[in-house]
Amino acid sequence: MLNKGLAEEELFSFLSKKREEDLCHSHILSSMCTVPHPIAVKAHLMFMETNLGDPGLFPGTASLERLLIERLGDLFHHREAGGYATSGGTESNIQALRIAKAQKKVDKPNVVIPETSHFSFKKACDILGIQMKTVPADRSMRTDISEVSDAIDKNTIALVGIAGSTEYGMVDDIGALATIAEEEDLYLHVDAAFGGLVIPFLPNPPAFDFALPGVSSIAVDPHKMGMSTLPAGALLVREPQMLGLLNIDTPYLTVKQEYTLAGTRPGASVAGALAVLDYMGRDGMEAVVAGCMKNTSRLIRGMETLGFPRAVTPDVNVATFITNHPAPKNWVVSQTRRGHMRIICMPHVTADMIEQFLIDIGE
Ligand code: 0PR
Protein backbone atom coordinates (compact mmCIF):
# COMPACT_ATOMS: atom_id res chain seq x y z
CA MET A 1 0.00 0.00 0.00
CA LEU A 2 1.34 3.46 -0.85
CA ASN A 3 1.52 5.72 2.22
CA LYS A 4 0.44 8.78 0.28
CA GLY A 5 -1.99 8.55 -2.64
CA LEU A 6 -0.88 9.40 -6.19
CA ALA A 7 -2.02 12.44 -8.11
CA GLU A 8 -4.72 11.48 -10.63
CA GLU A 9 -2.58 12.51 -13.59
CA GLU A 10 0.38 10.41 -12.46
CA LEU A 11 -1.86 7.45 -11.73
CA PHE A 12 -3.56 7.55 -15.11
CA SER A 13 -0.33 8.00 -16.99
CA PHE A 14 0.87 4.79 -15.29
CA LEU A 15 -2.40 3.00 -16.15
CA SER A 16 -2.22 4.16 -19.79
CA LYS A 17 1.30 2.79 -20.11
CA LYS A 18 0.16 -0.56 -18.74
CA ARG A 19 -2.84 -0.61 -21.09
CA GLU A 20 -0.53 0.05 -24.04
CA GLU A 21 1.35 -3.13 -23.17
CA ASP A 22 -1.84 -5.11 -23.95
CA LEU A 23 -2.23 -6.53 -27.45
CA CYS A 24 -4.56 -4.82 -29.86
CA HIS A 25 -7.67 -6.60 -31.19
CA SER A 26 -6.72 -5.58 -34.74
CA HIS A 27 -4.22 -8.47 -34.71
CA ILE A 28 -5.86 -10.96 -32.32
CA LEU A 29 -7.12 -14.03 -34.17
CA SER A 30 -6.98 -16.41 -31.19
CA SER A 31 -9.76 -15.09 -28.96
CA MET A 32 -13.37 -16.09 -28.45
CA CYS A 33 -13.97 -12.66 -26.95
CA THR A 34 -14.26 -9.52 -29.04
CA VAL A 35 -14.40 -5.75 -28.81
CA PRO A 36 -17.69 -5.05 -27.00
CA HIS A 37 -20.42 -3.43 -29.05
CA PRO A 38 -20.64 0.34 -28.26
CA ILE A 39 -24.26 -0.22 -27.17
CA ALA A 40 -23.05 -2.75 -24.58
CA VAL A 41 -20.49 -0.28 -23.26
CA LYS A 42 -23.10 2.49 -23.01
CA ALA A 43 -25.52 0.24 -21.10
CA HIS A 44 -22.70 -1.14 -18.91
CA LEU A 45 -21.69 2.35 -17.77
CA MET A 46 -25.30 3.11 -16.74
CA PHE A 47 -25.40 0.10 -14.39
CA MET A 48 -21.86 0.30 -13.00
CA GLU A 49 -22.66 -0.08 -9.29
CA THR A 50 -25.55 -2.55 -9.56
CA ASN A 51 -25.19 -5.85 -7.71
CA LEU A 52 -27.45 -8.74 -8.66
CA GLY A 53 -26.25 -10.55 -5.55
CA ASP A 54 -28.74 -8.46 -3.57
CA PRO A 55 -31.55 -8.10 -6.12
CA GLY A 56 -33.99 -6.45 -3.68
CA LEU A 57 -31.77 -3.35 -3.82
CA PHE A 58 -31.76 -3.31 -7.62
CA PRO A 59 -35.21 -4.48 -8.76
CA GLY A 60 -34.88 -2.74 -12.12
CA THR A 61 -31.58 -4.44 -12.90
CA ALA A 62 -32.93 -7.78 -11.64
CA SER A 63 -35.82 -7.48 -14.10
CA LEU A 64 -33.29 -6.96 -16.91
CA GLU A 65 -31.67 -10.26 -15.91
CA ARG A 66 -35.07 -12.00 -16.18
CA LEU A 67 -35.59 -10.33 -19.56
CA LEU A 68 -32.19 -11.56 -20.77
CA ILE A 69 -33.09 -15.12 -19.77
CA GLU A 70 -36.49 -14.75 -21.48
CA ARG A 71 -34.83 -13.54 -24.71
CA LEU A 72 -32.37 -16.43 -24.67
CA GLY A 73 -35.09 -18.95 -23.76
CA ASP A 74 -37.15 -17.68 -26.69
CA LEU A 75 -34.12 -17.96 -28.98
CA PHE A 76 -33.65 -21.55 -27.75
CA HIS A 77 -37.32 -22.47 -28.39
CA HIS A 78 -38.47 -22.46 -24.76
CA ARG A 79 -39.72 -19.12 -23.51
CA GLU A 80 -40.56 -20.62 -20.09
CA ALA A 81 -36.97 -21.72 -19.46
CA GLY A 82 -35.42 -20.78 -16.13
CA GLY A 83 -31.92 -19.47 -15.74
CA TYR A 84 -29.66 -16.71 -14.54
CA ALA A 85 -26.71 -14.61 -15.64
CA THR A 86 -23.37 -16.23 -14.81
CA SER A 87 -19.81 -14.98 -15.12
CA GLY A 88 -19.31 -17.15 -18.22
CA GLY A 89 -19.15 -20.68 -19.55
CA THR A 90 -17.05 -21.98 -16.68
CA GLU A 91 -19.62 -21.02 -14.03
CA SER A 92 -22.52 -22.23 -16.21
CA ASN A 93 -20.88 -25.62 -16.72
CA ILE A 94 -20.08 -26.01 -13.01
CA GLN A 95 -23.65 -25.13 -12.06
CA ALA A 96 -25.19 -27.48 -14.64
CA LEU A 97 -23.23 -30.42 -13.23
CA ARG A 98 -24.17 -29.32 -9.69
CA ILE A 99 -27.86 -29.58 -10.68
CA ALA A 100 -27.32 -33.00 -12.29
CA LYS A 101 -25.55 -34.20 -9.13
CA ALA A 102 -28.36 -32.91 -6.91
CA GLN A 103 -30.98 -34.59 -9.14
CA LYS A 104 -29.44 -38.05 -9.12
CA LYS A 105 -27.73 -39.05 -5.92
CA VAL A 106 -25.26 -41.92 -6.43
CA ASP A 107 -22.14 -42.96 -4.54
CA LYS A 108 -19.50 -42.37 -7.21
CA PRO A 109 -21.05 -40.06 -9.81
CA ASN A 110 -19.66 -39.82 -13.33
CA VAL A 111 -20.44 -37.71 -16.36
CA VAL A 112 -20.14 -38.86 -19.99
CA ILE A 113 -18.39 -36.04 -21.76
CA PRO A 114 -16.88 -35.29 -25.19
CA GLU A 115 -13.12 -35.42 -25.63
CA THR A 116 -13.49 -32.00 -27.26
CA SER A 117 -15.10 -30.38 -24.21
CA HIS A 118 -13.71 -27.17 -22.73
CA PHE A 119 -11.32 -27.47 -19.78
CA SER A 120 -13.91 -25.84 -17.52
CA PHE A 121 -15.51 -29.30 -17.16
CA LYS A 122 -12.26 -30.53 -15.58
CA LYS A 123 -12.61 -27.78 -12.98
CA ALA A 124 -16.30 -28.63 -12.49
CA CYS A 125 -15.62 -32.35 -12.00
CA ASP A 126 -12.69 -31.66 -9.70
CA ILE A 127 -14.75 -29.36 -7.45
CA LEU A 128 -17.81 -31.63 -7.46
CA GLY A 129 -15.98 -34.96 -7.08
CA ILE A 130 -17.36 -36.30 -10.36
CA GLN A 131 -15.46 -38.74 -12.57
CA MET A 132 -15.14 -37.79 -16.26
CA LYS A 133 -15.85 -40.58 -18.75
CA THR A 134 -14.52 -39.16 -21.98
CA VAL A 135 -16.02 -40.07 -25.35
CA PRO A 136 -13.69 -39.73 -28.36
CA ALA A 137 -14.39 -37.51 -31.35
CA ASP A 138 -14.91 -38.91 -34.84
CA ARG A 139 -12.94 -37.72 -37.89
CA SER A 140 -15.06 -34.58 -38.16
CA MET A 141 -14.15 -33.74 -34.53
CA ARG A 142 -17.75 -34.26 -33.43
CA THR A 143 -18.47 -36.62 -30.55
CA ASP A 144 -18.62 -40.22 -31.78
CA ILE A 145 -22.23 -41.02 -30.87
CA SER A 146 -21.68 -44.79 -31.27
CA GLU A 147 -19.38 -44.65 -28.20
CA VAL A 148 -21.78 -42.81 -25.89
CA SER A 149 -24.12 -45.63 -24.80
CA ASP A 150 -21.18 -47.90 -23.84
CA ALA A 151 -19.76 -45.18 -21.60
CA ILE A 152 -23.00 -44.86 -19.57
CA ASP A 153 -23.28 -46.92 -16.37
CA LYS A 154 -25.45 -46.88 -13.23
CA ASN A 155 -23.38 -44.06 -11.72
CA THR A 156 -23.76 -41.75 -14.72
CA ILE A 157 -25.56 -38.58 -13.67
CA ALA A 158 -25.31 -36.58 -16.90
CA LEU A 159 -24.34 -36.41 -20.56
CA VAL A 160 -22.65 -33.36 -22.05
CA GLY A 161 -22.84 -32.22 -25.68
CA ILE A 162 -20.95 -29.34 -27.29
CA ALA A 163 -22.62 -26.87 -29.65
CA GLY A 164 -19.66 -24.96 -31.07
CA SER A 165 -16.50 -26.59 -29.74
CA THR A 166 -13.72 -24.36 -28.46
CA GLU A 167 -10.96 -25.80 -30.60
CA TYR A 168 -12.66 -26.87 -33.86
CA GLY A 169 -16.01 -25.05 -33.95
CA MET A 170 -18.00 -28.26 -34.33
CA VAL A 171 -21.58 -28.90 -33.22
CA ASP A 172 -22.16 -32.39 -31.79
CA ASP A 173 -25.19 -34.38 -32.92
CA ILE A 174 -27.24 -33.01 -30.01
CA GLY A 175 -30.39 -34.68 -31.41
CA ALA A 176 -28.79 -38.12 -31.03
CA LEU A 177 -27.49 -37.26 -27.54
CA ALA A 178 -30.94 -36.02 -26.54
CA THR A 179 -32.52 -39.30 -27.67
CA ILE A 180 -30.00 -41.29 -25.59
CA ALA A 181 -30.60 -38.97 -22.61
CA GLU A 182 -34.35 -39.59 -22.85
CA GLU A 183 -33.96 -43.36 -23.20
CA GLU A 184 -31.57 -43.54 -20.25
CA ASP A 185 -33.44 -40.91 -18.22
CA LEU A 186 -30.28 -38.80 -17.93
CA TYR A 187 -29.61 -35.08 -17.58
CA LEU A 188 -28.21 -33.59 -20.82
CA HIS A 189 -26.25 -30.35 -20.60
CA VAL A 190 -25.38 -28.56 -23.85
CA ASP A 191 -22.31 -26.32 -23.77
CA ALA A 192 -23.24 -23.62 -26.28
CA ALA A 193 -21.05 -21.00 -24.59
CA PHE A 194 -19.66 -20.08 -28.01
CA GLY A 195 -22.20 -21.51 -30.48
CA GLY A 196 -25.36 -20.42 -28.66
CA LEU A 197 -25.22 -16.98 -30.24
CA VAL A 198 -24.07 -18.26 -33.64
CA ILE A 199 -26.11 -21.37 -34.47
CA PRO A 200 -29.62 -19.79 -34.18
CA PHE A 201 -28.55 -17.18 -36.76
CA LEU A 202 -27.19 -19.60 -39.39
CA PRO A 203 -29.26 -20.19 -42.56
CA ASN A 204 -29.71 -23.91 -41.72
CA PRO A 205 -29.15 -24.30 -37.98
CA PRO A 206 -28.63 -27.81 -36.62
CA ALA A 207 -30.95 -28.71 -33.70
CA PHE A 208 -29.15 -28.12 -30.41
CA ASP A 209 -31.59 -26.47 -28.00
CA PHE A 210 -34.76 -27.00 -25.94
CA ALA A 211 -36.71 -27.91 -29.10
CA LEU A 212 -35.15 -31.33 -28.38
CA PRO A 213 -37.08 -32.75 -25.40
CA GLY A 214 -33.96 -34.47 -24.01
CA VAL A 215 -32.02 -31.23 -23.46
CA SER A 216 -31.99 -30.25 -19.75
CA SER A 217 -29.78 -27.15 -19.71
CA ILE A 218 -27.75 -24.87 -21.98
CA ALA A 219 -24.72 -22.66 -21.34
CA VAL A 220 -24.43 -19.56 -23.56
CA ASP A 221 -22.05 -16.61 -23.27
CA PRO A 222 -23.08 -13.10 -24.38
CA HIS A 223 -19.45 -12.06 -23.75
CA LYS A 224 -18.34 -14.20 -26.68
CA MET A 225 -20.46 -13.89 -29.86
CA GLY A 226 -23.03 -11.74 -28.03
CA MET A 227 -20.53 -8.83 -28.16
CA SER A 228 -21.32 -7.86 -24.59
CA THR A 229 -18.94 -6.44 -22.00
CA LEU A 230 -17.22 -8.94 -19.66
CA PRO A 231 -18.31 -10.93 -17.71
CA ALA A 232 -21.58 -12.07 -19.26
CA GLY A 233 -22.62 -15.70 -19.37
CA ALA A 234 -25.94 -17.42 -18.89
CA LEU A 235 -27.18 -20.80 -17.75
CA LEU A 236 -30.63 -21.81 -18.99
CA VAL A 237 -32.56 -24.73 -17.53
CA ARG A 238 -35.67 -26.39 -18.97
CA GLU A 239 -37.63 -26.18 -15.68
CA PRO A 240 -37.11 -23.04 -13.56
CA GLN A 241 -37.40 -25.14 -10.36
CA MET A 242 -34.23 -27.07 -11.31
CA LEU A 243 -32.28 -24.09 -9.96
CA GLY A 244 -34.02 -24.55 -6.61
CA LEU A 245 -31.95 -27.71 -6.12
CA LEU A 246 -28.96 -25.40 -5.56
CA ASN A 247 -30.63 -23.09 -3.06
CA ILE A 248 -28.87 -22.17 0.15
CA ASP A 249 -30.21 -19.83 2.83
CA THR A 250 -29.12 -16.18 2.78
CA PRO A 251 -30.82 -14.87 5.93
CA TYR A 252 -29.71 -11.21 5.92
CA LEU A 253 -30.07 -10.40 2.20
CA THR A 254 -33.13 -8.90 0.52
CA VAL A 255 -33.80 -12.41 -0.84
CA LYS A 256 -33.74 -15.35 1.57
CA GLN A 257 -32.27 -17.99 -0.74
CA GLU A 258 -29.67 -18.03 -3.48
CA TYR A 259 -28.85 -20.62 -6.18
CA THR A 260 -26.04 -18.72 -7.93
CA LEU A 261 -22.37 -19.67 -7.54
CA ALA A 262 -21.05 -16.13 -7.21
CA GLY A 263 -22.49 -13.96 -4.43
CA THR A 264 -21.85 -10.40 -5.56
CA ARG A 265 -22.68 -10.31 -9.27
CA PRO A 266 -22.38 -7.46 -11.77
CA GLY A 267 -25.59 -6.03 -13.21
CA ALA A 268 -23.64 -3.86 -15.66
CA SER A 269 -22.64 -6.62 -18.07
CA VAL A 270 -26.16 -8.12 -17.86
CA ALA A 271 -27.58 -4.77 -19.00
CA GLY A 272 -24.87 -4.75 -21.70
CA ALA A 273 -25.80 -8.24 -22.90
CA LEU A 274 -29.53 -7.48 -23.09
CA ALA A 275 -28.90 -4.12 -24.74
CA VAL A 276 -26.94 -5.70 -27.61
CA LEU A 277 -29.59 -8.37 -28.26
CA ASP A 278 -32.41 -5.82 -28.28
CA TYR A 279 -30.47 -3.30 -30.34
CA MET A 280 -29.40 -5.85 -32.94
CA GLY A 281 -32.57 -7.91 -33.12
CA ARG A 282 -32.58 -11.16 -35.09
CA ASP A 283 -31.80 -9.31 -38.35
CA GLY A 284 -28.73 -7.64 -36.88
CA MET A 285 -27.39 -10.84 -35.32
CA GLU A 286 -27.94 -12.75 -38.57
CA ALA A 287 -25.89 -10.10 -40.39
CA VAL A 288 -23.01 -10.29 -37.88
CA VAL A 289 -22.96 -14.10 -37.98
CA ALA A 290 -23.17 -14.13 -41.81
CA GLY A 291 -20.13 -11.81 -41.89
CA CYS A 292 -18.13 -14.00 -39.51
CA MET A 293 -19.01 -17.16 -41.47
CA LYS A 294 -18.10 -15.49 -44.78
CA ASN A 295 -14.71 -14.48 -43.36
CA THR A 296 -14.20 -18.02 -42.05
CA SER A 297 -14.86 -19.52 -45.52
CA ARG A 298 -12.62 -16.95 -47.20
CA LEU A 299 -9.82 -17.68 -44.73
CA ILE A 300 -10.13 -21.43 -45.31
CA ARG A 301 -10.06 -21.01 -49.11
CA GLY A 302 -7.14 -18.60 -48.92
CA MET A 303 -5.12 -20.84 -46.61
CA GLU A 304 -5.74 -23.89 -48.78
CA THR A 305 -4.57 -21.99 -51.86
CA LEU A 306 -1.34 -21.28 -49.94
CA GLY A 307 -0.94 -24.99 -49.14
CA PHE A 308 -2.32 -25.08 -45.58
CA PRO A 309 -5.21 -27.58 -45.63
CA ARG A 310 -8.15 -27.25 -43.24
CA ALA A 311 -8.27 -29.70 -40.32
CA VAL A 312 -12.08 -29.88 -40.50
CA THR A 313 -14.93 -27.91 -42.09
CA PRO A 314 -16.33 -26.06 -39.08
CA ASP A 315 -20.01 -25.58 -38.21
CA VAL A 316 -19.28 -22.16 -36.65
CA ASN A 317 -16.64 -19.45 -37.14
CA VAL A 318 -13.54 -21.31 -35.91
CA ALA A 319 -11.03 -22.29 -38.62
CA THR A 320 -8.27 -24.85 -38.07
CA PHE A 321 -5.36 -25.80 -40.30
CA ILE A 322 -2.95 -28.71 -40.58
CA THR A 323 0.28 -26.78 -40.14
CA ASN A 324 2.79 -25.90 -37.47
CA HIS A 325 3.83 -22.78 -39.38
CA PRO A 326 4.42 -19.99 -36.85
CA ALA A 327 2.06 -16.99 -36.86
CA PRO A 328 3.32 -14.20 -39.13
CA LYS A 329 4.89 -11.25 -37.29
CA ASN A 330 2.46 -9.24 -35.13
CA TRP A 331 -0.44 -11.71 -35.52
CA VAL A 332 -1.76 -13.84 -32.66
CA VAL A 333 -3.14 -17.26 -33.56
CA SER A 334 -3.54 -20.29 -31.29
CA GLN A 335 -2.86 -24.01 -31.49
CA THR A 336 -5.20 -26.90 -30.67
CA ARG A 337 -4.21 -29.84 -28.45
CA ARG A 338 -3.68 -31.81 -31.68
CA GLY A 339 -1.26 -29.19 -32.95
CA HIS A 340 -3.48 -27.49 -35.54
CA MET A 341 -3.36 -23.74 -36.14
CA ARG A 342 -6.62 -22.20 -34.85
CA ILE A 343 -8.19 -18.89 -35.89
CA ILE A 344 -11.50 -17.53 -34.65
CA CYS A 345 -13.26 -15.11 -36.99
CA MET A 346 -14.89 -12.97 -34.30
CA PRO A 347 -16.82 -9.78 -35.15
CA HIS A 348 -13.66 -7.68 -34.67
CA VAL A 349 -11.87 -9.74 -37.33
CA THR A 350 -12.66 -7.85 -40.54
CA ALA A 351 -12.41 -9.04 -44.15
CA ASP A 352 -9.40 -6.69 -44.56
CA MET A 353 -7.66 -8.32 -41.58
CA ILE A 354 -8.16 -11.75 -43.17
CA GLU A 355 -6.69 -10.54 -46.51
CA GLN A 356 -3.69 -8.99 -44.73
CA PHE A 357 -3.15 -12.15 -42.68
CA LEU A 358 -3.19 -14.25 -45.89
CA ILE A 359 -0.63 -11.93 -47.51
CA ASP A 360 1.60 -12.04 -44.41
CA ILE A 361 1.50 -15.82 -43.96
CA GLY A 362 2.04 -16.34 -47.71
CA GLU A 363 5.32 -14.44 -47.64
N1 0PR B 1 -17.32 -23.61 -23.04
C1 0PR B 1 -16.80 -23.37 -24.25
C2 0PR B 1 -17.30 -24.13 -25.44
C3 0PR B 1 -15.79 -22.40 -24.38
O1 0PR B 1 -15.25 -22.16 -25.59
C4 0PR B 1 -15.36 -21.69 -23.23
C5 0PR B 1 -14.27 -20.65 -23.31
C6 0PR B 1 -15.96 -21.98 -21.99
C7 0PR B 1 -16.93 -22.95 -21.94
C8 0PR B 1 -15.58 -21.25 -20.74
O2 0PR B 1 -16.01 -19.95 -20.81
P1 0PR B 1 -15.42 -18.78 -19.86
O3 0PR B 1 -13.97 -18.68 -20.21
O4 0PR B 1 -16.23 -17.61 -20.25
O5 0PR B 1 -15.65 -19.21 -18.46
N2 0PR B 1 -13.58 -20.57 -24.48
C9 0PR B 1 -12.46 -19.69 -24.74
C10 0PR B 1 -11.20 -20.51 -24.87
O6 0PR B 1 -10.85 -21.27 -23.94
C11 0PR B 1 -12.25 -18.63 -23.70
C12 0PR B 1 -11.29 -17.59 -24.16
C13 0PR B 1 -11.72 -16.37 -24.60
C14 0PR B 1 -9.92 -17.84 -24.15
C15 0PR B 1 -10.83 -15.41 -25.01
C16 0PR B 1 -9.01 -16.87 -24.58
C17 0PR B 1 -9.48 -15.67 -25.01
O7 0PR B 1 -8.58 -14.71 -25.46
O8 0PR B 1 -10.57 -20.41 -25.91
Side-chain angles (χ1 to χ4, degrees):
M1 190 76 203
L2 303 176
N3 278 331
K4 195 167 180 295
L6 295 178
E8 186 173 330
E9 202 179 319
E10 188 186 352
L11 175 63
F12 278 87
S13 123
F14 167 73
L15 293 179
S16 305
K17 276 207 197 79
K18 285 293 147 193
R19 187 68 181 99
E20 277 162 26
E21 289 172 19
D22 292 342
L23 301 188
C24 177
H25 270 87
S26 62
H27 285 79
I28 296 178
L29 303 177
S30 61
S31 176
M32 287 195 151
C33 291
T34 193
V35 181
H37 196 289
I39 290 290
V41 176
K42 191 170 174 187
H44 189 111
L45 292 172
M46 274 176 75
F47 288 80
M48 201 51 105
E49 68 274 33
T50 61
N51 171 19
L52 290 168
D54 205 355
L57 302 183
F58 304 100
T61 313
S63 74
L64 292 186
E65 180 179 23
R66 287 193 296 277
L67 212 48
L68 175 66
I69 298 303
E70 195 182 301
R71 293 277 190 280
L72 294 170
D74 194 31
L75 189 64
F76 297 160
H77 300 103
H78 187 45
R79 194 185 268 271
E80 292 77 34
Y84 80 97
T86 65
S87 56
T90 301
E91 179 178 343
S92 301
N93 290 339
I94 292 172
Q95 291 284 82
L97 295 194
R98 252 183 101 197
I99 296 172
K101 194 179 170 194
Q103 264 190 2
K104 184 171 170 185
K105 294 204 162 56
V106 293
D107 262 356
K108 289 186 175 155
N110 68 60
V111 38
V112 172
I113 195 160
E115 172 203 334
T116 55
S117 63
H118 186 255
F119 53 76
S120 51
F121 286 102
K122 285 206 178 112
K123 300 182 189 177
C125 290
D126 183 31
I127 294 168
L128 295 167
I130 298 173
Q131 185 205 346
M132 284 176 87
K133 293 186 84 174
T134 307
V135 183
D138 62 18
R139 282 179 51 196
S140 73
M141 291 309 285
R142 294 186 189 92
T143 299
D144 187 343
I145 298 296
S146 69
E147 302 266 352
V148 173
S149 292
D150 281 353
I152 297 171
D153 62 31
K154 65 180 190 339
N155 291 330
T156 302
I157 58 163
L159 305 181
V160 171
I162 316 293
S165 60
T166 310
E167 289 177 297
Y168 291 92
M170 302 311 295
V171 179
D172 284 339
D173 185 346
I174 306 294
L177 288 172
T179 304
I180 298 173
E182 278 196 284
E183 282 165 6
E184 304 276 349
D185 193 21
L186 282 171
Y187 187 103
L188 171 60
H189 174 61
V190 176
D191 182 355
F194 185 75
L197 287 171
V198 180
I199 301 163
F201 307 116
L202 292 172
N204 296 302
F208 78 103
D209 63 19
F210 293 120
L212 300 163
V215 171
S216 311
S217 58
I218 302 176
V220 55
D221 282 355
H223 70 205
K224 296 189 169 78
M225 280 298 287
M227 298 168 286
S228 181
T229 48
L230 307 182
L235 174 65
L236 277 90
V237 292
R238 180 176 289 278
E239 306 291 345
Q241 63 268 28
M242 287 158 71
L243 291 171
L245 292 166
L246 306 181
N247 264 336
I248 49 113
D249 295 335
T250 53
Y252 55 82
L253 297 187
T254 52
V255 284
K256 298 304 158 203
Q257 287 195 312
E258 182 174 284
Y259 47 72
T260 56
L261 186 59
T264 303
R265 297 189 299 127
S269 45
V270 171
L274 179 71
V276 176
L277 292 183
D278 282 4
Y279 179 78
M280 301 294 284
R282 174 171 278 280
D283 286 358
M285 288 303 293
E286 279 178 4
V288 169
V289 166
C292 293
M293 294 305 288
K294 192 173 166 203
N295 287 342
T296 307
S297 304
R298 164 64 189 136
L299 175 65
I300 292 174
R301 267 187 288 112
M303 286 290 277
E304 291 194 329
T305 306
L306 293 169
F308 303 113
R310 74 189 79 181
V312 290
T313 300
D315 294 319
V316 296
N317 42 324
V318 178
T320 46
F321 302 97
I322 306 172
T323 174
N324 47 21
H325 195 288
K329 195 171 174 325
N330 294 330
W331 291 100
V332 190
V333 301
S334 54
Q335 227 191 15
T336 68
R337 282 172 280 188
R338 295 193 181 193
H340 297 137
M341 180 187 284
R342 165 182 177 261
I343 291 175
I344 304 138
C345 293
M346 292 302 290
H348 70 266
V349 178
T350 60
D352 286 349
M353 281 168 69
I354 299 287
E355 296 308 326
Q356 192 57 51
F357 176 81
L358 288 169
I359 292 169
D360 292 352
I361 198 167
E363 275 170 4

